[in-house]
Amino acid sequence: MSLFATLSRSVALAVMLVVTSPAAFAQLEPTNEQRQAAVEIADSLRYGHYADINFDETWSQDTFQRYLDILDGQRAYLLQSDIEPYRHLETGMADAIFDGDLEDAFDLYNTFSERQRARLESLLARLDEGLDFDFDSNERLEIDREEAPWASRESELDELWRKRLKNDALTLALTEQDNEQIETNLRQRYEGQLTRLEQTESEDVFGVLMAAVAGSIDPHTGYLSPRQGESFDIQMSLSLEGIGALLQSDGEYVKVSSLVPGGPAERAGVLEPADRITAVGQEDGEMVNVVGMRLDNVVDLIRGPKGSTVRLDVVPAQAVDMTRSQVVEITRDTVSLEDQAASSEIIEVERDGEPHRLGIINVPTFYVDFDAWQAGEEEYRSTTRDVAKEVERLKEEGVEGIVLDLRNNGGGALQEANSLIGLFIDRGPTVQVRDAQGRIQLYGDSEAGTLYDGPLGVLVNRLSASASEIFAGAIQDYGRGLVLGTPTFGKGTVQTLNELSHGQIKLTRAKFYRISGDSTQNRGVEPDIDFPSLIDPERIGESSLDNALAWDTVQNVQYRRYGEPENMLDNLIAQHDVRAEDNPNFRYLERQSTLARQLREQHTSVSLNREQREREMEAQEAEQLSLENQRRRALGLEELDEWMDARTETTAGVANETDDTVSSPESDAESEEDEALAVDRAYVLEAAEILLDYAHLQETQRFAAKR
């Protein structure tokens, strides 16, 4: 957000803040329905949640602090003196919620809203005066103020907002906008925020308060208002018409947390996890700035009728400056079962002049056509049935091994994870589910026989979650194959949706455990062989979420081991390291991952001097561009002049992979270049190489055993 020109103006603004501090501002109060719902939520948490929660003073302190963080996480509006009248909630929040006594929590919200409105009005008044920033000082603006102390004086916040306004103006100036355009854009931003603030209703306040209450326990427990409950039902039925992206709040920004497999955003190839969305526009008209906008309002802007186009102003995950945004277009659509169906391909790996064929089966999600299944139809669609068909086809083609690609697979039907494991083992347990009372239920495959008993690999990444982790963990525990890639998401909890007298509560009721006894919660599944990743685990994954339940263990169950791939890992890793050192895409992934982490650690403030800001941006992007061009030179591809062009070309290559085009020499050449451009493709190709190594080592062992 933003800043102010001179200290003299700051003094005037401080006076104006007092004048405009609202007498006429609508004071929001809790309804009787919300008071009753708060009591029901408290009881649900006490008696229904998986965790053993002690609603004591410590819990009250944590919840009160979380409430403040949700309201004013950047310490930009509230003063210490604004918070003091409500300090009793630090020790009494639990009693207030259990008694349905919400007035004080609502009053604190009203105080915050008054401060926010006054601040926005002061920013608009400053714009009316005209901006005259020179951008030649040595000032810097701190980016993350989550740990900053609350301001004790209004003048401290005036100075902060002077810098924030200056930063907003500089950010737009760096996109070559003139003063008139800058003032127009900033006015639209602040007026939009003020309008949304004035439209706040009692249900919005209750939702924020309950988010603090539920979120203090675990990140997957939460209150859904009647309106949010309807939206949730639509999403579960997959009839929601939108872009197929899951979003979450990230400070003042909305961040992409994952893409729905087979959805419009994934097919378009223009969004990636951890991208930030700064503005949304329809096919025609102005873009609406969404910085500081509530998540559900942003979702409403993005959602729309099938076939229509939405425009998003996106800051790529790897960008270190918010000025490096680009507008992308996505055609809204529904996600059908067909879009998420398993598919396969054959990759040829050459060794000593001889071709070897490996099968890759892409499993985007664990799905089942429940309607057809419940109707008793014999040919209903499911992950297991579709994968079985692909396995049969690959066996007929004579592949030497099969890799199941579970990257970006966020889970789905638990029964499908269990039955899919059954294609590769001959009966046995697959997962343990422990409830709040400590009771453990064992799930498994009861059908005799296997469909495929050859060399097997499972490819995972940070976005492989829930049922994907159950599958990968079971294959690893059974010694049935190799798990390759990066540590998975770590979503090892089970939620249920319960009706309240007003709204619904999503409640964590159980945890998943592997047959070895290890939880998949928080830590996820560790691969046997690690691949580098551009997804930052500190920003994406269970361990990045506040109050995620801890990893733990239960008693293991009896199961039969099919092999001991761990005994071959030293050999396999050594061969993989040699290839990775010679693979431009793997070298790029490793170096880019390290560089991105270093840049984020260094990027704690931004310069408000235009020349210095440009130098810092150029230096950072020069490092990123250098890595990209090293990769391109090694692949024999044309080098780029701008770092931002790299993402455009690589995502275009990914999107082109899904196009159904007639093959020709020219299109074959283009597809080869697309494959080289798509860094992501390196994972699949290397997984095939590793599996071939594994198959040969197994063959050598069998031969040695016979002698």
Side-chain angles (χ1 to χ4, degrees):
M1 283 180 161
S2 334
L3 338 196
F4 284 23
T6 63
L7 282 173
S8 59
R9 282 203 177 94
S10 293
V11 174
L13 283 168
V15 173
M16 185 170 64
L17 280 172
V18 174
V19 172
T20 58
S21 274
F25 193 81
Q27 297 293 296
L28 298 170
E29 298 179 349
T31 66
N32 289 332
E33 290 85 356
Q34 290 162 357
R35 292 188 183 93
Q36 176 60 31
V39 175
E40 293 172 12
I41 289 169
D43 285 339
S44 295
L45 295 173
R46 169 172 280 173
Y47 300 113
H49 196 278
Y50 177 84
D52 183 14
I53 307 160
N54 189 3
F55 292 96
D56 55 9
E57 288 190 4
T58 300
W59 182 86
S60 289
Q61 290 169 357
D62 291 344
T63 303
F64 180 68
Q65 186 59 54
R66 187 168 184 82
Y67 188 44
L68 289 174
D69 288 342
I70 294 174
L71 293 181
D72 190 11
Q74 292 299 307
R75 311 294 193 261
Y77 297 100
L78 291 170
L79 295 171
Q80 183 72 35
S81 58
D82 294 327
I83 299 169
E84 287 306 318
Y86 306 99
R87 284 290 178 190
H88 61 282
L89 290 174
E90 273 191 310
T91 56
M93 182 67 90
D95 290 338
I97 301 301
F98 275 95
D99 294 340
D101 183 8
L102 310 181
E103 278 74 15
D104 287 344
F106 268 64
D107 286 347
L108 175 53
Y109 188 101
N110 287 327
T111 299
F112 164 72
S113 294
E114 290 167 3
R115 286 289 182 184
Q116 192 176 24
R117 187 182 77 154
R119 186 61 65 184
L120 289 169
E121 288 178 343
S122 70
L123 290 172
L124 290 169
R126 175 67 183 85
L127 290 174
D128 289 339
E129 297 176 15
L131 296 178
D132 58 355
F133 295 127
D134 48 31
F135 305 125
D136 59 2
S137 71
N138 292 322
E139 295 178 311
R140 298 189 72 87
L141 173 67
E142 184 182 10
I143 294 175
D144 186 356
R145 287 175 43 82
E146 286 185 2
E147 302 300 324
W150 296 101
S152 58
R153 296 184 301 277
E154 192 74 57
S155 57
E156 294 177 51
L157 293 184
D158 290 341
E159 176 64 7
L160 170 65
W161 280 95
R162 181 189 68 79
K163 288 185 176 181
R164 295 189 92 186
L165 178 59
K166 188 173 183 179
N167 180 62
D168 281 355
L170 175 56
T171 298
L172 294 174
L174 290 169
T175 63
E176 306 305 325
Q177 295 187 30
D178 59 29
N179 280 352
E180 184 177 350
Q181 291 174 307
I182 290 171
E183 290 180 18
T184 298
N185 283 330
L186 292 180
R187 181 170 284 104
Q188 288 177 347
R189 178 185 302 184
Y190 303 141
E191 286 177 345
Q193 292 177 3
L194 186 58
T195 298
R196 291 190 292 272
L197 181 63
E198 292 171 346
Q199 293 172 344
T200 301
E201 299 175 349
S202 173
E203 188 63 34
D204 300 317
V205 184
F206 183 68
V208 169
L209 177 57
M210 290 304 107
V213 169
S216 67
I217 296 170
D218 91 287
H220 303 293
T221 291
Y223 166 74
L224 279 69
S225 69
R227 173 190 168 198
Q228 290 171 325
E230 291 177 9
S231 177
F232 186 83
D233 291 340
I234 293 172
Q235 291 179 38
M236 288 300 98
S237 66
L238 285 180
S239 62
L240 177 65
E241 293 175 352
I243 63 171
L246 301 181
L247 309 177
Q248 69 183 71
S249 296
D250 184 20
E252 295 176 323
Y253 297 96
V254 167
K255 177 176 71 177
V256 177
S257 60
S258 63
L259 302 179
V260 177
E266 185 189 60
R267 293 199 302 268
V270 294
L271 283 183
E272 294 179 3
D275 284 355
R276 286 153 291 179
I277 299 172
T278 60
V280 179
Q282 308 311 316
E283 293 182 70
D284 302 311
E286 297 291 327
M287 299 283 283
V288 177
N289 188 282
V290 298
V291 177
M293 185 183 290
R294 272 200 352 234
L295 180 61
D296 54 349
N297 288 333
V298 178
V299 171
D300 285 343
L301 285 174
I302 294 175
R303 185 181 299 170
K306 179 179 179 179
S308 62
T309 300
V310 63
R311 292 176 293 141
L312 306 176
D313 197 7
V314 176
V315 179
Q318 301 304 320
V320 292
D321 194 286
M322 296 305 293
T323 63
R324 309 306 288 161
S325 67
Q326 56 186 12
V327 176
V328 301
E329 293 187 356
I330 301 174
T331 301
R332 299 180 178 102
D333 201 353
T334 53
V335 181
S336 68
L337 201 60
E338 192 63 39
D339 294 325
Q340 299 190 327
S343 59
S344 68
E345 64 171 314
I346 294 175
I347 290 178
E348 285 201 355
V349 175
E350 188 171 305
R351 294 283 175 86
D352 301 323
E354 294 292 327
H356 299 267
R357 293 156 65 81
L358 286 304
I360 310 292
I361 301 179
N362 182 35
V363 185
T365 186
F366 287 90
Y367 56 87
V368 61
D369 188 340
F370 281 110
D371 292 337
W373 175 59
Q374 291 176 336
E377 296 181 17
E378 292 185 5
E379 297 303 318
Y380 66 89
R381 296 291 299 275
S382 74
T383 297
T384 304
R385 285 167 169 253
D386 288 346
V387 169
K389 291 175 183 176
E390 300 302 327
V391 169
E392 293 284 16
R393 186 180 75 82
L394 293 172
K395 284 165 62 177
E396 290 175 4
E397 293 286 344
V399 298
E400 298 179 47
I402 293 176
V403 175
L404 270 71
D405 187 352
L406 300 185
R407 288 174 304 156
N408 307 325
N409 183 324
L414 175 60
Q415 69 184 62
E416 286 304 307
N418 294 326
S419 59
L420 187 64
I421 294 166
L423 298 182
F424 308 101
I425 67 167
D426 184 12
R427 282 195 294 212
T430 54
V431 65
Q432 304 181 73
V433 180
R434 183 184 187 274
D435 66 18
Q437 286 71 46
R439 295 173 302 212
I440 294 178
Q441 188 168 0
L442 191 61
Y443 293 85
D445 168 52
S446 59
E447 292 191 16
T450 60
L451 180 66
Y452 177 75
D453 56 9
L456 183 67
V458 182
L459 183 57
V460 295
N461 67 359
R462 188 63 171 174
L463 298 176
S464 303
S466 196
S468 293
E469 296 174 289
I470 290 170
F471 180 88
I475 294 299
Q476 194 174 57
D477 290 338
Y478 273 110
R480 179 58 190 86
L482 296 169
V483 177
L484 313 169
T486 67
T488 58
F489 191 94
K491 170 66 165 64
T493 55
V494 183
Q495 284 73 41
T496 61
L497 196 62
N498 301 331
E499 293 290 334
L500 303 168
S501 61
H502 181 77
Q504 299 170 305
I505 183 169
K506 184 157 64 81
L507 200 62
T508 296
R509 299 296 299 269
K511 284 176 76 172
F512 289 126
Y513 293 86
R514 294 163 58 162
I515 55 176
S516 63
D518 288 351
S519 172
T520 57
Q521 169 63 15
N522 213 308
R523 293 187 187 179
V525 176
E526 293 285 341
D528 297 307
I529 299 179
D530 278 302
F531 289 178
S533 173
L534 296 184
I535 299 177
D536 182 0
E538 293 184 6
R539 300 170 70 186
I540 298 290
E542 188 78 5
S543 59
S544 72
L545 302 176
D546 291 339
N547 301 314
L549 296 186
W551 176 90
D552 62 349
T553 64
V554 295
Q555 180 64 43
N556 68 301
V557 298
Q558 293 295 317
Y559 59 94
R560 162 196 169 193
R561 291 272 294 176
Y562 285 79
E564 296 179 337
E566 60 273 14
N567 294 338
M568 305 180 190
L569 287 182
D570 288 345
N571 195 324
L572 292 170
I573 291 171
Q575 294 179 76
H576 159 68
D577 287 344
V578 170
R579 280 191 302 271
E581 186 60 33
D582 290 335
N583 187 317
N585 282 328
F586 260 81
R587 290 204 308 273
Y588 169 81
L589 285 165
E590 290 171 348
R591 294 169 184 172
Q592 177 66 13
S593 177
T594 301
L595 175 61
R597 184 175 62 255
Q598 291 172 347
L599 291 177
R600 281 192 296 272
E601 291 170 354
Q602 297 167 5
H603 196 61
T604 58
S605 66
V606 290
S607 173
L608 301 181
N609 180 298
R610 180 166 187 158
E611 291 185 2
Q612 178 63 22
R613 180 79 158 267
E614 287 177 332
R615 283 196 298 270
E616 290 176 3
M617 287 170 50
E618 288 169 1
Q620 292 165 347
E621 292 188 5
E623 290 185 80
Q624 293 173 309
L625 180 63
S626 174
L627 285 183
E628 172 63 24
N629 281 334
Q630 287 176 37
R631 181 180 78 91
R632 286 170 170 268
R633 283 194 300 273
L635 292 169
L637 302 175
E638 185 177 347
E639 295 186 29
L640 298 177
D641 295 325
E642 296 284 341
W643 171 73
M644 285 293 287
D645 294 338
R647 169 157 157 149
T648 303
E649 293 197 25
T650 53
T651 53
V654 172
N656 288 342
E657 288 181 14
T658 63
D659 293 342
D660 294 323
T661 54
V662 177
S663 180
S664 67
E666 185 176 315
S667 66
D668 286 345
E670 290 175 355
S671 66
E672 286 180 14
E673 182 163 325
D674 286 342
E675 185 168 299
L677 283 169
V679 177
D680 205 45
R681 184 68 173 166
Y683 296 123
V684 175
L685 299 177
E686 179 57 19
E689 295 272 9
I690 291 172
L691 191 61
L692 183 59
D693 291 338
Y694 181 50
H696 287 173
L697 285 173
Q698 284 184 315
E699 195 174 305
T700 301
Q701 280 190 351
R702 283 194 296 269
F703 179 75
K706 288 179 181 179
R707 294 183 61 183

